Structures are given as structure tokens and as C-alpha cells.
Amino acid sequence: FIRLIQINVLDSTDIQYECSLHGQTADLFTTIADRKLNVLSFPEYNHTLSSGNIIDSWDTQIVKNGSPQAFAYGSGYVYAMIDRGYSGLRNITQWEAAWFTPCLYAKTIVDKIFTNAGYSYTNDSFFNSDRFKRLIIPPPNGLTGNSALLTQRLFRGSRATTSQSLDLGTTLIFNNDSTGGNFDNGGNYNPTTGQYTAPIGGAYNFTIEFGMQFNLTGYAPVIPADVFGLFGLYVNGVLKSTATINIDVAVQPSTEYIYLTSPSVASGDLIDIRLVQIYDQSNATNLTNALFSLTMGIGSFMENDQNAFNFAYNETVEFSIFLNSEVKQSEMLMSFVKMFNLYIEPDKDQPKVLRCVPRDEFYNGANVDWTKKLDYSQPVQIIPMGELDANPYVFSYKEGADTSNKEYQENYQSTYGSRTYKVDNDFVKTEKKIDIVFSPTQIKNYDNGQTNFVLSYVEAQKDGDLRILYYGGIQNNVSWRFYAPFYGVGNFPYVVQRKLPLTIHYDNIANPTFDILFGMPKELGVGAGYKYGNSNLVTNYYYRFISEITNKNSKIVRAYFRITPSDWFNLRFNNLYFFEGQYWRLNKVTDYNPIDDGVFECEFLLAQFIPPATITNKKIGAGTGQGQETEDYGDIYPGGSNPIRPGIRGVNVGGSTGSGGGVFVGDTITQSSDGANNSGLGLRKTNFAMGAEGSVAMVCNDFTVSKPDTLYIGNFEMYPNYLSGGSVQTITANYTATKDDHMFLVNTTAGAVTISLPNPTGLSGKTFIVKKITSGYQVTVDTIGTAKIDGADTHSQNPIYSAHTFTTDGTNYFIISKL
């Protein structure tokens, strides 16, 4: 395709036409330039939500066009386990069908983008690789369905004409759902019985503006404002959720708002709202019907909406509007190009068939000898580090809108999994950003008495961010309960599962081999002790490119070559061209004219052999010589789960979600996911391990705090009693000391006294003082076990007011002073 840019009329016989030529590759992005993701439809994958279909999607089969299709990575959909706030509702090892997130494979989406634009890609393209086939994309705003379907579920009803008297257990009835601003689009609310019939499975929210008149009969609360009303949401007559309002007896009539949410309900379930209890909080008294009267006034109303999950068990999961996002298709496709450093070229004979491969795979063409084509009579330019046009290179995901990403961005001034590569060159100062449309998704290890229960987590059922995850396949040796529906109360059938779909940002918990982040995050939610590696996007797809253009031998050559029409026809940018005793990569040819027999300027980059980056897995956490260790291009191994983040001047007061509270001063301080109430001063590379709650560390370096309620100073465990002197005991008879004692004031008036020091094992550094405060008789110091005192079995002490100090090395006792 040729585009006319400008016409320059130099004179009547000399007219120049400035044009640009566009190949089919450029035309693909032109074709999809303004197409948004929300126009892509995937109804062929509609299916019924069931536990069987969810589990089958992991490794057995999916539904396509209403029929089973064998499981294959990259084809169709898979259900991910993403914690969208569920861990705050109940035990995270208890899942119901509506909690799972249906995800489309990225390849399925890319294939539809290409097909709709009239394009395809070659079999050896990266989109057909096993690595790309593992990428999955969740719906950015949940599966919302079409607006017409949602509208049919809404209603608003009010209390009209008469007020309603409410006893305990009475259903609130809003007897007008048709006039005065009231409506019932789907005919789902019964204004006579007060029951709402769920037209389709899901979770429903109800808001009530409750105008009331409340009076007491024969009962007087001590504090009128401490009377409360409890209202309940019932499904098929069973209480499922409650809400409380304040009833100030002294301020009547009054208006309060009641907010109630149903659990997942099935199509046809009956929902109603009832008065459950009236109680006096200050007197801890539940009122009976005889002690109060409560009426709901005219004008009170109830309305509903529905949350992100508009599908429930045995309902249809609708894929027609899956990518309900304003992001453009070209932006998503270009994000894949940036993530994997893809080079795209059209097929020689089929211009709408594109070859899309990573840069290192692109340069796999033939070796072409151009030694005899170089014109030595023309000038030659040699430019050191000629392709280095930026410093630093900044690789980054889009900032996330969920709580965990906002906290990470605030604490580290960068996005989760970003990476900055700084070139050792003081003359290039232009920053180059390589960013993508996807927001990163953090992970969390849920310690429920088992190993490797690791999930992605987003603190919202829908957040609007476009995300990408890696499906690592089935992870075994976990245990959790799978409920089909879970209604919140009662005993419901479940199946114990021993496997789960690993859908996080890397491929394997036990031994990671690939991560879709650009770099290692500063914190990783699996916790200290797990393996993590530097096999990420930059290391795998940019390392050799950056190394080649920043190497001290890197250079660009511009010279003149004789190019024939045959050369031009066979010219490929992925070939290596040999001249001057070296191989070169062709960057561009300037002013080639196929009808002129001459030489033309060509630009080449010196081809150098750069070995692949070294991939290394290490255990996460301080105490292993890590934390300050800089890896390739500024990539640093994370310090573990929820590290104590440096605040003002390196101080963190309090803590963050999942890491408990405390005061910390220092750097590279790590607290495990269950850490609580630990503190430290003057610390470097110090890790508070799981289970070490309520401990304090001071001036420790490259150290792990492993015990709860323990004091550590200078990497050594301390007994607080030792530092404070411990207890002072007045002794008048034989006594066996404990580690919590410190000084003994021995009164021998009644006779000789023996003090037996404890077994010194584990008490290294412990000190005892024995002071004789009376004359007459003798004090004998003995030991428990075989420990010696200055080499003897016992030690005698006679003078009044004598004081002897005994210190142990953990095996024996030694007298270090006598007064």
C-alpha cells in the first residue's frame, strides 16, 4: 500500500512525490487500530456452570458449540482459583462453583483478533508455542451479561396507603411495586407476600429505607440509644444473612437504612426480609413482642441490584461479553509483542500470513557473504554502541487499581514485577519505557496446615483491570472442599479435592522455571523458604538484545554495497551478512533504486554471540545471604512474604495486612505471612519466620528469628530476665534454682543451706549471684546433673555478706567474681 504524503513542485518539469509504503504487517494494526476488546464475542464457549465442567476445564475437556471438546492448552477457557475477597468470608479452603473465575486463553483471543481482521500467522510463530498457550486472561469486570437480562431482575417497592405493624418473625411487605416511581421489571416481587423470586441464580443485594415508629410497653432501658433491631434475609424460609440498625427510643419516629446481601441462590428461590430480634445492648436483654411495638411507615421502600456474579450453579455462563473493556485490540496485541520482544514479518508469498517470533528466534536465517559487494572506494562510518538510544530501559506492567497493587506502588514507587535496566553509559540519558496494558496480579500463600495452597488474589470481585496469568496446570497434594452451591448455613454436600489449577504469574511453586513478570518483585506472597527464580520476561527475551547493543564491542557500520535485483529479491533482515571478517545484522538499506546499477548505503549492527542468561532459583528470605544481592541488570531476589516496608527514614510503625504490628528500624527486614507483634531495631537482612510471634530482635545481621516471645540481641537468643537481673529470692532452706532466678539472699540462721543451680544445657551466658546475709553455718552451691563449678562438684561460701557470681557456658559453671 502506498500513501501520498506531499507533492513538491520544484519547477514545471521537476515534481517530487513524497510517499510512504505500507506492508501487510502495518495494515494488520491499521485494521484493528480502533477496534476495542469489548466487540469480541465468544458465545461458542457458553456452558452450564457445574462442578464437573469446572474441574474438566483443568485437564480433561471443555464445552464448545454445545459439545465436549478435548482439553488443550490455549484452546477455549479454563477456570482459575482467584481469591477476590473470599478469604474474608470463610475458610479459603472451602470453595463453591460461583467463586471460580472463568478465563479465556490468550491464544484463543489472539486467534479471534487475527481471524476477524482477515489475517493468520505461521506455524512456527510464538503464538503456537507451549509457553504462550499457557497464558490466560480473566474477564476484567466479571461476566456481567447483557443489560437487558440484568434489567429484568430489578425492582423497587414501597409501603403505600397504610403502615405495617411488625412482630418478631414478621416479613416486611412493600405493597406497591408499580406506581409512584416503583417498578418490577421481571414480575419477580410479590407485593402481597413480600417475597422476591430469584429469576436466575446469583447473589442479590437489597437496600431498605426503613421509616419507623418504635415504642416500649412495660420496659425501660437504662440507655435509650442502646436498643437495636436485627433484620434477616431468608431464602426459602431459612435465615441466611442479617443486618442491624440502631433504634434510639428517645428519638422517634426515625429513619434507618438496612443493607442485606444474599449468598448464592438458585433460580426460583424465594427471598424475603423479616424482623428477627429487638435487643437492649446495655442490659443484654432480648425483648419479647409484649415489651415493644414497631411499625414500618408509609413511604418506606426496598430495591435491589445484583453483584458481579450473575451466574450460579446450573445456570449458563455467558461468554458473549467476556472482555468488557475499553482497551483496544491493537493495545493487547502490542502488549504481547512487548512482553516477548516479538519481531513480525509477512510471509514472502502470502502477505497476510505473518511470522511472529521473539527476537532471538527471528535471527535464524541464512549466512550470506557480501564481502565482494562492499565498495571500499566509498566512505565507511563506524559508530560505537550505535543502537543504544536509551538509558535506562524501564519495563513495567500497568498500575493496578486493587488494594494490594496500590499498597505495593505506594511503598516501592514502582509497579509489581517491573524492572529497570541501567546502562553503564554517561552519555545517553533518555529513558525508554516498555509498558503493557495488563495490570500485575499478586499471589498469597494461605497457611491452612498444608503446603503450597497458593492463589492469585485481587481484593475485589471486579476491578476493571485487564490481567494476565500463567496456567501451570494441575497442582497436586493440596486439600480443599468443593461445594456445588454453598448457602451459608446447614450441612451441604461437598467433595474433597486433592488438586487445584495453578493460575498465578509463574509456572511451578516447588521449582519455578518461568515467570511472566518483567522482573522479580520486592515482595512475594509465598513466604520465606520457597524457591523463586530470575527466569522472567527481561531475562528470557531482552537479555541478549540489551547485552549485544551495550557490549563494549557493539558498533554500527554504514557502508556502500552493490545490490542487484536478485540480491534485493532475496534480501531478509533475519539473515547474517558476512564482510570484513565478521557477521552483521542488516538494519536498513538507504535509497535503493531497482532500475539503477549502482551502490547503496546499508546499515549493519555487529552480530555477537551472547550466551543466554544464567537462570537461578534461590530460597526466598533473609538469613540466606540474599536480600541485598543484585542479580542481572538490577533484578533483586525478594525478601519473602510481606516484608516490613521501609517508611520514613527506614522506620515502619504498625504493620500491613497479613504481617501483624510492630516497630522496625533497618533494611531488608522480612516478616512471614502469619507474623504478628514482632519488633526490631538496627536490623539488616533479618527474617521473622513463621510462628515467631511477639519476638524482639536488636542489632542482628543475616539472621532468622525462629521462636515466639523471645528476645534476640546480636544474633543471640536472650532471656529478658537475665538482662533485668531476674528474680531476687530470700532463701532460708535448701533451694533448687530455675533459669528465671538471678540473685539469692541466703539466711543461714536456722542452719546450713544448699543452693542447687539448674542444668546448664541451653543456658549459655546465664548468670547467678549467691550472697550470704547472716553469720554462722555454711552456704553450699551445688549443680543439677554432672556440671562442675570451677572443676569441682560443689562450692562453699562462709563469710557474712560474701557475694559470689556464677556464669555458665552451657556445660559447666564458672565463678567470675568473689566479693
Side-chain angles (χ1 to χ4, degrees):
F1 296 91
I2 187 169
R3 176 190 176 194
L4 179 63
I5 299 175
Q6 182 172 303
I7 301 174
N8 302 317
V9 182
L10 302 182
D11 59 41
S12 60
T13 60
D14 190 357
I15 302 176
Q16 293 181 347
Y17 295 86
E18 294 186 14
C19 305
S20 62
L21 295 173
H22 299 264
Q24 296 288 347
T25 302
D27 190 51
L28 167 64
F29 284 91
T30 301
T31 300
I32 65 175
D34 296 322
R35 296 181 183 179
K36 295 181 179 179
L37 291 174
N38 56 23
V39 304
L40 294 175
S41 181
F42 302 87
E44 63 268 31
Y45 297 112
N46 289 359
H47 61 274
T48 300
L49 183 67
S50 67
S51 54
N53 281 337
I54 290 173
I55 295 173
D56 283 347
S57 75
W58 299 341
D59 61 356
T60 305
Q61 66 181 20
I62 61 171
V63 175
K64 184 175 183 180
N65 296 320
S67 300
Q69 174 180 290
F71 168 84
Y73 289 111
S75 176
Y77 62 88
V78 66
Y79 277 87
M81 292 178 74
I82 302 175
D83 178 7
R84 295 183 176 273
Y86 309 135
S87 56
L89 301 177
R90 65 173 184 261
N91 189 323
I92 192 61
T93 60
Q94 299 178 6
W95 280 69
E96 63 178 292
W99 280 13
F100 289 85
T101 302
C103 302
L104 282 174
Y105 284 101
K107 174 176 166 55
T108 296
I109 298 172
V110 167
D111 287 353
K112 184 146 291 191
I113 292 175
F114 269 76
T115 300
N116 289 354
Y119 282 76
S120 61
Y121 49 79
T122 59
N123 290 333
D124 66 338
S125 288
F126 184 73
F127 299 132
N128 282 323
S129 68
D130 178 70
R131 184 162 285 179
F132 189 78
K133 289 178 180 179
R134 298 290 190 115
L135 301 184
I136 60 173
I137 296 177
N141 290 295
L143 294 184
T144 57
N146 61 70
S147 58
L149 183 64
L150 292 175
T151 301
Q152 288 300 309
R153 308 176 192 183
L154 303 180
F155 89 98
R156 183 186 188 278
S158 69
R159 187 69 196 178
T161 312
T162 60
S163 58
Q164 181 185 9
S165 178
L166 299 176
D167 286 335
L168 298 177
T170 302
T171 297
L172 278 61
I173 298 176
F174 300 88
N175 50 16
N176 180 357
D177 65 350
S178 59
T179 63
N182 299 311
F183 58 89
D184 185 5
N185 293 330
N188 304 311
Y189 184 72
N190 187 326
T192 301
T193 64
Q195 291 180 320
Y196 177 87
T197 302
I200 192 171
Y204 293 80
N205 302 323
F206 296 88
T207 300
I208 300 172
E209 183 180 282
F210 188 69
M212 62 179 161
Q213 177 66 57
F214 181 83
N215 295 291
L216 291 170
T217 55
Y219 179 83
V222 176
I223 304 175
D226 271 3
V227 176
F228 294 86
L230 182 70
F231 292 81
L233 182 147
Y234 288 75
V235 178
N236 299 326
V238 179
L239 179 63
K240 298 299 182 179
S241 63
T242 60
T244 301
I245 64 171
N246 178 237
I247 302 174
D248 191 338
V249 178
V251 182
Q252 292 296 318
S254 63
T255 299
E256 295 287 339
Y257 284 89
I258 305 170
Y259 303 96
L260 286 161
T261 299
S262 74
S264 294
V265 298
S267 175
D269 282 349
L270 298 177
I271 303 172
D272 61 89
I273 312 300
R274 307 178 191 180
L275 175 63
V276 176
Q277 189 57 266
I278 301 292
Y279 62 96
D280 180 354
Q281 180 172 281
S282 58
N283 284 343
T285 301
N286 291 327
L287 277 62
T288 63
N289 289 328
L291 299 179
F292 73 91
S293 63
L294 174 64
T295 57
M296 179 172 67
I298 297 173
S300 298
F301 68 86
M302 179 169 74
E303 59 186 356
N304 77 326
D305 61 17
Q306 192 179 39
N307 69 9
F309 290 101
N310 67 341
F311 59 90
Y313 199 72
N314 283 332
E315 303 293 347
T316 299
V317 181
E318 176 63 62
F319 279 83
S320 296
I321 307 177
F322 182 88
L323 293 167
N324 41 17
S325 169
E326 293 295 311
V327 173
K328 295 178 180 179
Q329 296 177 27
S330 58
E331 293 175 315
M332 174 181 279
L333 194 58
M334 185 54 67
S335 292
F336 293 136
V337 171
K338 293 178 179 179
M339 289 173 69
F340 302 101
N341 199 11
L342 300 183
Y343 283 30
I344 303 176
E345 63 175 352
D347 182 85
K348 177 182 176 181
D349 301 316
Q350 302 177 82
K352 286 198 172 185
V353 178
L354 306 182
R355 182 173 185 253
C356 314
V357 294
R359 183 256 189 192
D360 294 343
E361 294 180 27
F362 176 79
Y363 288 111
N364 66 346
N367 295 333
V368 182
D369 190 347
W370 273 23
T371 301
K372 295 182 179 180
K373 294 183 175 292
L374 177 60
D375 186 349
Y376 288 95
S377 68
Q378 300 289 341
V380 175
Q381 293 181 336
I382 301 176
I383 306 170
M385 300 181 74
E387 275 205 330
L388 180 60
D389 59 356
N391 184 21
Y393 286 81
V394 179
F395 301 87
S396 178
Y397 275 72
K398 179 185 175 182
E399 290 188 351
D402 59 297
T403 302
S404 56
N405 271 315
K406 286 181 178 178
E407 289 179 352
Y408 186 97
Q409 289 151 196
E410 178 181 352
N411 290 321
Y412 296 113
Q413 302 302 302
S414 64
T415 57
Y416 184 81
S418 64
R419 188 164 176 181
T420 299
Y421 166 60
K422 296 180 180 179
V423 181
D424 187 15
N425 188 312
D426 293 332
F427 302 100
V428 180
K429 302 289 187 181
T430 303
E431 179 181 273
K432 183 173 183 177
K433 292 186 176 180
I434 300 174
D435 49 12
I436 57 179
V437 297
F438 300 110
S439 296
T441 304
Q442 297 191 42
I443 62 177
K444 185 181 291 186
N445 186 4
Y446 300 86
D447 180 22
N448 293 286
Q450 56 184 299
T451 304
N452 298 341
F453 198 88
V454 178
L455 306 177
S456 295
Y457 76 103
V458 180
E459 296 90 335
Q461 292 181 343
K462 57 180 180 179
D463 63 320
D465 286 339
L466 199 62
R467 299 176 181 274
I468 187 166
L469 301 171
Y470 190 95
Y471 179 33
I474 292 297
Q475 177 175 297
N476 296 306
N477 301 319
V478 293
S479 179
W480 54 282
R481 295 180 179 183
F482 192 167
Y483 296 83
F486 185 93
Y487 295 130
V489 298
N491 295 319
F492 288 87
Y494 62 86
V495 176
V496 175
Q497 291 291 326
R498 304 295 182 185
K499 63 181 183 179
L500 60 77
L502 185 64
T503 48
I504 57 177
H505 58 73
Y506 58 100
D507 64 339
N508 189 284
I509 297 297
N511 189 33
T513 65
F514 179 66
D515 193 341
I516 61 172
L517 298 180
F518 285 111
M520 291 185 285
K522 302 298 189 300
E523 60 177 90
L524 192 67
V526 292
Y530 282 80
K531 286 184 179 180
Y532 187 60
N534 62 345
S535 179
N536 45 47
L537 293 177
V538 171
T539 304
N540 284 283
Y541 299 103
Y542 284 91
Y543 171 87
R544 299 177 75 181
F545 161 69
I546 294 176
S547 297
E548 191 168 64
I549 67 172
T550 60
N551 187 283
K552 64 179 180 180
N553 297 319
S554 175
K555 57 186 174 184
I556 277 182
V557 166
R558 296 192 185 107
Y560 285 83
F561 293 79
R562 184 171 302 280
I563 302 176
T564 67
S566 176
D567 294 329
W568 184 260
F569 179 77
N570 293 303
L571 188 143
R572 295 290 180 270
F573 283 95
N574 63 339
N575 290 337
L576 287 178
Y577 295 85
F578 183 81
F579 57 88
E580 285 293 291
Q582 294 177 299
Y583 284 97
W584 305 80
R585 305 190 197 282
L586 178 62
N587 279 349
K588 64 181 177 181
V589 179
T590 304
D591 297 331
Y592 174 74
N593 188 337
I595 63 175
D596 284 348
D597 183 16
V599 294
F600 305 94
E601 185 182 56
C602 300
E603 180 180 287
F604 293 88
L605 170 69
L606 178 64
Q608 303 176 67
F609 174 72
I610 305 294
T614 300
I615 303 301
T616 306
N617 281 352
K618 294 185 178 181
K619 286 187 178 181
I620 302 169
T624 57
Q626 297 157 206
Q628 292 295 313
E629 183 177 352
T630 300
E631 298 296 329
D632 298 316
Y633 311 125
D635 213 10
I636 302 174
Y637 279 87
S641 166
N642 299 312
I644 303 306
R645 304 175 175 107
I648 300 173
R649 297 179 181 174
V651 179
N652 177 290
V653 179
S656 61
T657 301
S659 63
V663 178
F664 299 87
V665 179
D667 64 270
T668 322
I669 305 168
T670 306
Q671 181 148 240
S672 67
S673 58
D674 70 343
N677 304 316
N678 295 311
S679 297
L681 300 174
L683 305 181
R684 293 183 64 242
K685 293 192 291 182
T686 299
N687 172 40
F688 289 83
M690 298 183 73
E693 296 185 0
S695 291
V696 176
M698 301 174 66
V699 290
C700 294
N701 181 17
D702 198 16
F703 181 68
T704 295
V705 174
S706 58
K707 294 182 179 181
D709 305 313
T710 303
L711 173 66
Y712 295 84
I713 298 178
N715 290 19
F716 289 99
E717 179 181 344
M718 297 287 160
Y719 289 94
N721 295 342
Y722 302 177
L723 301 180
S724 66
S727 63
V728 177
Q729 302 279 7
T730 299
I731 305 299
T732 59
N734 293 345
Y735 180 78
T736 299
T738 71
K739 66 180 180 63
D740 296 320
D741 296 323
H742 181 60
M743 176 181 286
F744 308 103
L745 303 178
V746 185
N747 186 328
T748 58
T749 302
V753 175
T754 297
I755 304 294
S756 297
L757 302 181
N759 188 320
T761 302
L763 300 183
S764 179
K766 173 62 178 172
T767 297
F768 298 99
I769 298 174
V770 178
K771 187 174 183 67
K772 188 170 182 287
I773 61 174
T774 59
S775 60
Y777 297 104
Q778 175 178 281
V779 175
T780 300
V781 180
D782 197 357
T783 64
I784 301 297
T786 60
K788 303 291 187 180
I789 302 175
D790 277 356
D793 291 331
T794 62
H795 173 73
S796 298
Q797 190 171 333
N798 290 309
I800 186 174
Y801 298 126
S802 62
H804 295 180
T805 304
F806 305 81
T807 299
T808 179
D809 64 352
T811 303
N812 294 298
Y813 284 92
F814 300 90
I815 302 172
I816 61 173
S817 69
K818 293 182 179 180
L819 297 176

